[in-house]
Every structure is written in C-alpha cells, then in structure tokens.
Amino acid sequence: EPPDTPHDFCCQTQDMRTITCTWSPGGDTYLHGRYSPTYTLSEEFSQKPVLCTVSCLKQCSCSWDIDQQKIYNVTVTVENPLGKKTAMDVFDVTHRIYPAAPFQLWAACTDTEITLYWKRRNKEIELFCQTEVLQPDGKVELHNSSEVHLHFSNITLSGLQPYTDYTVRVHCAAAGHFWRWSEWSEAQTIRTREAAPSGKLDIWREITPVWGGRNVTLFWKHAPSFRANGGSISYEVTWEKAEDGSEPESVSLSSVYNSTRISIGTCSYRISIMAKNSVNYSLPSILIIPRATGNSRTIFRCTKELKEQQVNGTDDGIFISWEPKAVYDSYIIEWCNFPTLQLCDLQWKTFEPNTSSALINSAAFVPGVRYSFRVYGSVANRASLLEKKIGYLRELPPLLDPTVEKVGLTSNAVTLSWDSYPTNESQSGFVRGYHVFISPVQEDCSLKGSKKHVLPDNSVLCKYTIDNPEEKRYTVKHLLPNTKYKLVVKAYTGGGETPIVNFIYIDTPFNSNLLYLLVLLVIVPSLVAALCLWKMKWVKECCCPVIPTPNKSKVLSFKEFKVRS
C-alpha cells in the first residue's frame, strides 16, 4: 500500500539550540526491507535539505541544530515504491519553545507557608512557572510564578495549615510566547511546621450525685473548627470553685483519652479543658457546674420532673425539636448510642441559638431500640435541662405477647387481664394499644360489637381494639353458654403486631337461668298439682263424708233376719 500522510507533524525547541520535529507515521504499508517507507525533511526558505536522522518507534522524530534563521517552513516527505505523501509545518522558532521540566525541588517552610525552590535547564529563556499544590482533602490548587533567578526559581505558598502534608510539583512555559507547558517535575511532599492548637474542644459533662458531693464525668472531642496543629497532643483538665477563688486542681491526660471523672463538692465549679502540643495550649473550653441544692441528707437538684415526649424516627435519623428561648446562646442534645449497656457511649451535639430542631443520626442506631434524648439550653457556659425525648429509629412489633389471665367467666362473658405486661423501654416500639381476638372453636365468630379478622386459613375471628396502652383489662360479652372458645391478646406498636400463632381456650358454663326456668315451668306446677290433689281429698272427706249403706251396717245385721231385696 502507499504510505499514509504523516499525522500531527510539529516542530519545536527546548533550548533555542536544537529543533525537533515529530509526527505519527500512519498505518502499515506491508512493505519491508528496501521497500519500506523512507522519510526526508527539507526547509523551503533556505532551499536546503534538513540534515537529520529519522528514528521511528511509536512516533517518528528528527532533530537538527538551529542557525541564525528564525522562520521555518519544514516539509516531511514519506515515500515507498507505491507512492509519496508530504506534510508541512511553518513556524517561528521563538514561538515554539517547549522548556525542559524543572528539577531538584527543595523547600523552606513555616507553620503556614512553604517557599518552594527548583532548578531549570533553560537559563537563557525567560519562563513563567505554575505550581500544583495537592491539599490533604484531595483538592488541587494552582499557583503561578514569574520570578526567575539565574540558577533557580522559587514561589511562596501561603495560607496553609500547620503540621500538614502538601504534595507539590512544577511545570514551566516560555514567558514571551506561550507554546506549551513543560513536563511536570517530580512531585515532593512537604510538611508545614507545628503551631499551637487552634479552635476549642467541644466538651460536655455527666453529673452523678453522691454522698457529700458529686461525681462529674467530663467528655471532650474535636469540634469541626478545632485543629491539633501538631503530632503529639495531650489534654489539660482544670477545675476550681467558682465563688471563693480556691486553689485550682488539674490533671493531664494523653491523646488516647477523651473523658475523665472528677469529684467535686456541692458548690458551683468552673471547669476548663485545653489541648496542648509541643508549641502551646489551645484556647480553653469552659463549663460551669451550678451549685447543688437540697437538704442536709441529699444533694439532688430540685428541678421539676419533665415528662418524656415521644419523637419519630426516619430512615436518616431521629427528628428532635424543642421550644427555643431567647435567653440561651446555644443548645445541646445528649443521648447514648447503646442505651442498654452500662457503658452507653454518651454522645452530644451543640447547636446555634437560632436552631429549634435537628435530625440526630448515628451509625450505632438500630431499629427496635428506644433512645432517650435530653435537650439542654446553655447560657454563659451553664447548661439547664429543657426537655426530654424518647424515640426509635424504626419501631418493630412487640417481641412478646401479653400473658393473659381469666379474672371472670360467666356463660355469656369473659373478663381478661394482662396487668404485668410492660410498656417501658424494653419494648421494640411504643405500645399503642391491644387487640383481643376470639372465636368459637367449631365455627367462625360473629359477636356483636366486634370487627371481623380473617386468618390466612380463612377462618374468621372477632376483633376488639383497645387504644390505651395502660388499659390492661377487657370483658368480651355476648358469648354463648356451654361453648368452647379460643382467644388471644396481641399488643401493637407503630411497627404493627406479630402474627397470631397460639391461642388460649375457655369453656363457658351452662346458663343457670335456663335451669331456673325449667324449675319454674315443670317442677313447681307439678308440686302445685300434687298439693291440689291432696287438698281435694281432704276437703271431700271433711265436707262430704261417705254415708254408710244400711245393708252394710252392723247395727242392722241380724243373723236371724235377713232382708231380701
């Protein structure tokens, strides 16, 4: 095949001493040996062939020395026995400078600045350079620099974070006529120097009354605005009475700790927590523990008991809202990630004063667990409990059915009780009420006042609903006497109720009223009839005695005389 036209034919220089032209050779001609394509370069303005050696691998190139000429019209010709093709490039060599990459980078730095230096090979060419800075969060910043020295160039990068690693590299281009950037230098990672910790720690406390004082567990974590600014950090905890100016007490803890417990009296205390590195301390975070109030035997604070309010969970967390008050400068929500454990992993989150709701989420939240939240208002570092909330990420059906007892049974009614059934935090949802299901064993149910409930086997139960979780007694009426019934009581939550599996059975007794009716309608009339019969005989004998027959009278009976009829 004839050769393809050379693609991407372009000429440039790195040092204004040598011109290098490059091009793509095109497809295979399937001619080899002495029939392979040959390349020649010529320059039209000088009318001279270009004396250079062509080398082709993935790309072809050819280089030659620059003389006094500045404008070039270079033609590359590719030829084989089947044809010939050409490509041309016209250029001003001073506009085609492609500098060599910078090398030997080094730096001098402070806690917030890096001054980066590098060497360059094209000392006689005026360059401007660009420095790429890779931030720790993956963002890339570009900084331009036009300052050049005879043997090296430099740029000062400012506004950096202390004790932070930055990865930098440099490339350059001709300052007079931009043609293209050089290759990047080798990347260097540079760490700024340490500085004192910036910002404050986010701190919180848990107060436990004890005899004669209080145990205060202090917690701290790095707030979003806090930076350690150093490699090794420790924490300094200081506490003192807020009123009499007594000598403060303090304890130092290493970086592995995020909590500590101290014992204080019943007075008001001021607690300060600071972070410390090899340079200095951070600004202190302050907590004021108010004076404990109470009588001589207890130190419990006299606060009004707050009722727990139920809150709703979503797929993204548990929604908490509260009544804001202008007096507070911040709000704190406190909860435990593992409320059923003794070490519950206490958590807290601080909110701005113009906030009145929040979506609390945690990777530890699971469905079916009740979480308790406390909302505090803080003013001048003093926190006061405002509201209590309880909620589930997602409610589940109750784990256990109520244990039902019969407390009353007649021929047409049964009273059921499940007083021991819990509705507290042990449940996997808020118990909203109960359903009572009942049906005769031998037939479907159709009791007055009930709703029908169809089981998967198409049998029909009667269903009664109790919508008060604290009402744990119910009487089912309108039953038939002398009948066997099956029944079950199910608790339901916001997550529903479990399927019906097991029943309990009762037998209604025979109706005694029927027996009384039988006595009244059969036995009593029989007794009355018998009594009446007996009385009739007595009256007859008294009032109408039997008159003897003369023929049968012994007075008139003579053996000698016989009266013949």
Side-chain angles (χ1 to χ4, degrees):
E1 293 183 5
D4 290 337
T5 301
H7 300 295
D8 303 322
F9 181 57
C10 176
C11 300
Q12 58 191 7
T13 180
Q14 277 196 338
D15 52 10
M16 290 299 294
R17 294 190 182 95
T18 303
I19 295 176
T20 300
C21 295
T22 58
W23 65 92
S24 298
D28 193 352
T29 61
Y30 303 103
L31 297 176
H32 304 287
R34 61 193 183 95
Y35 300 111
S36 298
T38 58
Y39 296 93
T40 56
L41 275 76
S42 60
E43 203 285 311
E44 182 177 346
F45 295 148
S46 63
Q47 297 294 320
K48 296 179 181 178
V50 176
L51 301 177
C52 68
T53 302
V54 176
S55 62
C56 291
L57 293 174
K58 292 183 178 180
Q59 191 178 47
C60 296
S61 66
C62 188
S63 300
W64 70 95
D65 293 336
I66 296 176
D67 52 19
Q68 298 300 318
Q69 186 176 341
K70 300 297 182 185
I71 309 298
Y72 290 84
N73 184 351
V74 180
T75 301
V76 58
T77 303
V78 55
E79 185 177 3
N80 70 9
L82 300 179
K84 179 171 67 172
K85 297 289 177 64
T86 61
M88 184 175 62
D89 186 18
V90 179
F91 59 94
D92 183 336
V93 69
T94 61
H95 295 183
R96 292 287 183 91
I97 299 174
Y98 172 56
F103 66 103
Q104 288 188 8
L105 273 66
W106 74 99
C109 60
T110 65
D111 57 343
T112 59
E113 289 185 347
I114 294 175
T115 301
L116 184 67
Y117 302 89
W118 62 90
K119 290 185 177 181
R120 57 193 184 92
R121 291 185 172 87
N122 314 107
K123 299 176 182 178
E124 66 283 354
I125 301 173
E126 183 181 357
L127 303 177
F128 75 95
C129 298
Q130 191 176 68
T131 302
E132 179 190 81
V133 182
L134 178 62
Q135 305 278 348
D137 59 3
K139 293 182 179 179
V140 174
E141 292 183 357
L142 296 175
H143 299 264
N144 293 329
S145 169
S146 58
E147 292 188 47
V148 294
H149 300 276
L150 183 60
H151 299 292
F152 62 85
S153 298
N154 72 289
I155 185 173
T156 297
L157 309 172
S158 57
L160 307 180
Q161 296 290 346
Y163 202 72
T164 303
D165 289 337
Y166 295 91
T167 300
V168 298
R169 59 179 184 172
V170 183
H171 62 181
C172 299
H177 298 280
F178 179 84
W179 166 239
R180 61 177 58 177
W181 292 109
S182 71
E183 296 295 328
W184 286 105
S185 68
E186 290 187 5
Q188 288 236 6
T189 299
I190 304 166
R191 175 175 292 176
T192 51
R193 294 183 178 274
E194 289 189 60
S198 57
K200 295 181 180 181
L201 295 171
D202 187 0
I203 65 176
W204 190 234
R205 84 292 181 275
E206 186 179 41
I207 304 173
T208 305
V210 295
W211 185 262
R214 293 164 290 178
N215 286 338
V216 179
T217 303
L218 300 169
F219 303 89
W220 57 86
K221 60 186 177 182
H222 292 178
S225 61
F226 177 85
R227 288 188 56 86
N229 293 339
S232 178
I233 195 170
S234 61
Y235 302 100
E236 188 86 8
V237 180
T238 305
W239 64 99
E240 60 184 337
K241 292 181 180 179
E243 298 163 353
D244 60 4
S246 60
E247 188 70 20
E249 300 179 70
S250 64
V251 62
S252 293
L253 299 158
S254 69
S255 60
V256 300
Y257 292 94
N258 62 1
S259 67
T260 189
R261 176 179 290 181
I262 62 173
S263 296
I264 63 174
T266 59
C267 300
S268 176
Y269 278 78
R270 180 182 185 273
I271 298 173
S272 167
I273 304 179
M274 297 182 291
K276 179 179 181 291
N277 62 15
S278 61
V279 177
N280 209 336
Y281 289 92
S282 70
L283 295 173
S285 298
I286 307 297
L287 273 177
I288 303 297
I289 308 297
R291 173 188 294 272
T293 60
N295 56 36
S296 58
R297 298 183 60 185
T298 62
I299 60 167
F300 290 91
R301 291 186 54 79
C302 298
T303 56
K304 182 180 177 181
E305 186 64 26
L306 296 174
K307 184 180 178 181
E308 292 180 329
Q309 302 172 2
Q310 295 183 7
V311 294
N312 298 321
T314 67
D315 292 338
D316 299 321
I318 299 175
F319 184 76
I320 307 293
S321 63
W322 60 91
E323 189 69 29
K325 297 181 180 179
V327 66
Y328 297 112
D329 53 37
S330 65
Y331 297 97
I332 301 98
I333 298 180
E334 168 193 279
W335 73 93
C336 280
N337 272 341
F338 306 101
T340 59
L341 302 181
Q342 184 176 3
L343 298 176
C344 72
D345 188 20
L346 183 71
Q347 301 291 317
W348 73 97
K349 196 169 184 180
T350 305
F351 298 91
E352 296 295 326
N354 56 352
T355 309
S356 61
S357 64
L359 186 66
I360 304 299
N361 50 33
S362 169
F365 286 172
V366 293
V369 174
R370 181 181 295 186
Y371 297 94
S372 297
F373 301 87
R374 294 182 174 223
V375 181
Y376 293 84
S378 178
V379 56
N381 302 314
R382 296 172 184 261
S384 302
L385 180 61
L386 302 180
E387 298 179 21
K388 294 181 180 180
K389 313 283 185 178
I390 51 175
Y392 296 82
L393 182 68
R394 187 174 77 249
E395 294 185 60
L396 299 179
L399 298 175
L400 299 174
D401 291 337
T403 301
V404 180
E405 298 178 358
K406 301 189 297 287
V407 296
L409 178 63
T410 66
S411 60
N412 59 6
V414 60
T415 299
L416 307 172
S417 173
W418 52 96
D419 291 336
S420 61
Y421 191 70
T423 58
N424 55 17
E425 66 275 0
S426 64
Q427 291 288 359
S428 54
F430 294 119
V431 177
R432 312 299 173 108
Y434 307 94
H435 289 141
V436 178
F437 300 94
I438 189 169
S439 175
V441 173
Q442 301 298 332
E443 57 185 282
D444 292 339
C445 183
S446 58
L447 296 178
K448 182 180 179 182
S450 67
K451 294 184 178 179
K452 288 186 177 181
H453 180 80
V454 182
L455 294 178
D457 62 358
N458 292 325
S459 60
V460 178
L461 303 179
C462 289
K463 175 182 174 182
Y464 301 89
T465 299
I466 305 165
D467 55 10
N468 181 3
E470 299 306 321
E471 186 177 336
K472 302 178 183 179
R473 181 171 292 212
Y474 191 76
T475 299
V476 182
K477 300 178 181 180
H478 309 297
L479 302 181
L480 297 175
N482 197 25
T483 305
K484 190 179 187 67
Y485 285 90
K486 59 183 180 181
L487 60 88
V488 65
V489 177
K490 307 288 288 185
Y492 65 91
T493 67
E497 64 188 18
T498 55
I500 297 174
V501 178
N502 298 317
F503 291 93
I504 62 173
Y505 296 87
I506 60 170
D507 292 288
T508 54
F510 187 80
N511 193 341
S512 57
N513 292 332
L514 294 177
L515 182 60
Y516 298 149
L517 184 62
L518 179 63
V519 170
L520 292 175
L521 296 179
V522 178
I523 298 177
V524 172
S526 299
L527 291 174
V528 171
L531 180 62
C532 290
L533 182 61
W534 179 77
K535 284 291 185 179
M536 286 177 64
K537 289 182 179 180
W538 181 79
V539 171
K540 182 178 181 181
E541 289 179 358
C542 291
C543 299
C544 302
V546 178
I547 301 174
T549 302
N551 292 336
K552 295 182 180 180
S553 174
K554 293 182 179 180
V555 177
L556 299 179
S557 178
F558 300 101
K559 293 182 181 180
E560 295 86 357
F561 302 99
K562 293 184 178 179
V563 181
R564 300 186 179 204
S565 59

